[in-house]
Amino acid sequence: GQQVMQIPQYQHVQEGEDFTTYCNSSTTLSNIQWYKQRPGGHPVFLIQLVKSGEVKKQKRLTFQFGEAKKNSSLHITATQTTDVGTYFCADQDTGNQFYFGTGTSLTVIP
Amino acid sequence: ETGVTQTPRHLVMGMTNKKSLKCEQHLGHNAMYWYKQSAKKPLELMFVYSLEERVENNSVPSRFSPECPNSSHLFLHLHTLQPEDSALYLCASSSGQESYEQYFGPGTRLTVT
């Protein structure tokens, strides 16, 4: 499967600051998914990006897929304590196979 | 509630024990997955079943044996595990058509002593 690198591994921000996590691949991705896992919880699907250069927004979250479909980012504007958790990107290989990045653990300091 | 349930939620077993993890999805999905989540490691895809047929086995040791009797149920049979197998085991399902959005269960926290 394709290896997806995710950075940073950890991020501490003051409440109200912005946050960004990046996924990078050495090969072209067919599509990319983003998930959030709260502490003690399970991954929850956020969004899927398919098209080159695609940008999608969900309230304070902005998701981007690179023009070359080799990278993706998730940006959170004005973080809140409810944003705490680990954010994963996942690359879909052929069919039903998914390969997850290492995740970025976000801590929001009130 | 994601519509995917897993039992048990916690399991402690010795290395010589045999146990099974159970997953059930109530979403009418056609694909089911087992993942292993260890500390400081990415989610590892273990097995994929599509329409009850195994389509992926990512070099998982034979001490892990999956079973998918129908599209709603998935089992992971465990036998003579090692302490390094201690992890959170997550089950997921997806429709397998057009959208591959995965719905995860709450996981089973497994400790091998």
Side-chain angles (χ1 to χ4, degrees), chain A residues 33 35-37 41-45 90 98 100, chain B residues 1-6 23 27 33-35 37 43 89-93 101-107:
Chain A
Q33 297 183 346
Y35 290 80
K36 176 184 179 181
Q37 185 174 19
H42 56 272
V44 174
F45 175 82
F98 293 86
F100 281 73
Chain B
E1 187 61 42
T2 64
V4 180
T5 58
Q6 287 185 246
C23 176
L27 301 168
Y33 312 77
W34 279 117
Y35 286 91
Q37 187 173 38
L43 275 160
Y89 289 84
L90 290 159
C91 172
S93 71
E101 172 182 345
Q102 294 182 83
Y103 291 82
F104 283 82

Side-chain angles (χ1 to χ4, degrees), chain A residues 93-104:
Chain A
D93 204 336
T94 56
N96 292 321
Q97 300 167 43
F98 293 86
Y99 297 91
F100 281 73
T102 48
T104 296

Side-chain angles (χ1 to χ4, degrees), chain B residues 35-109:
Chain B
Y35 286 91
K36 176 184 179 182
Q37 187 173 38
S38 307
K40 299 184 180 179
K41 280 188 172 183
L43 275 160
E44 299 173 53
L45 179 63
M46 300 175 72
F47 302 103
V48 181
Y49 277 84
S50 178
L51 297 172
E52 301 158 40
E53 288 190 21
R54 189 191 310 180
V55 295
E56 176 63 19
N57 177 350
N58 278 347
S59 303
V60 178
S62 59
R63 56 185 184 270
F64 294 91
S65 174
E67 179 189 358
C68 188
N70 56 62
S71 59
S72 299
H73 294 86
L74 185 64
F75 295 89
L76 188 61
H77 304 298
L78 315 172
H79 176 54
T80 58
L81 295 191
Q82 305 297 310
E84 60 264 29
D85 296 323
S86 298
L88 180 68
Y89 289 84
L90 290 159
C91 172
S93 71
S94 71
S95 66
Q97 300 167 7
E98 295 186 9
S99 170
Y100 291 90
E101 172 182 345
Q102 294 182 83
Y103 291 82
F104 283 82
T108 295
R109 175 67 64 185

Side-chain angles (χ1 to χ4, degrees), chain A residues 20-24 32 34 47 49 54 56 62-66 71-75 89:
Chain A
T20 305
T21 174
Y22 302 88
C23 268
N24 297 296
I32 198 152
W34 284 93
I47 209 155
L49 304 173
E54 189 169 15
K56 287 188 176 180
T62 302
F63 304 85
Q64 289 189 320
F65 204 3
N71 57 73
S72 181
S73 65
L74 157 59
H75 179 82
C89 60

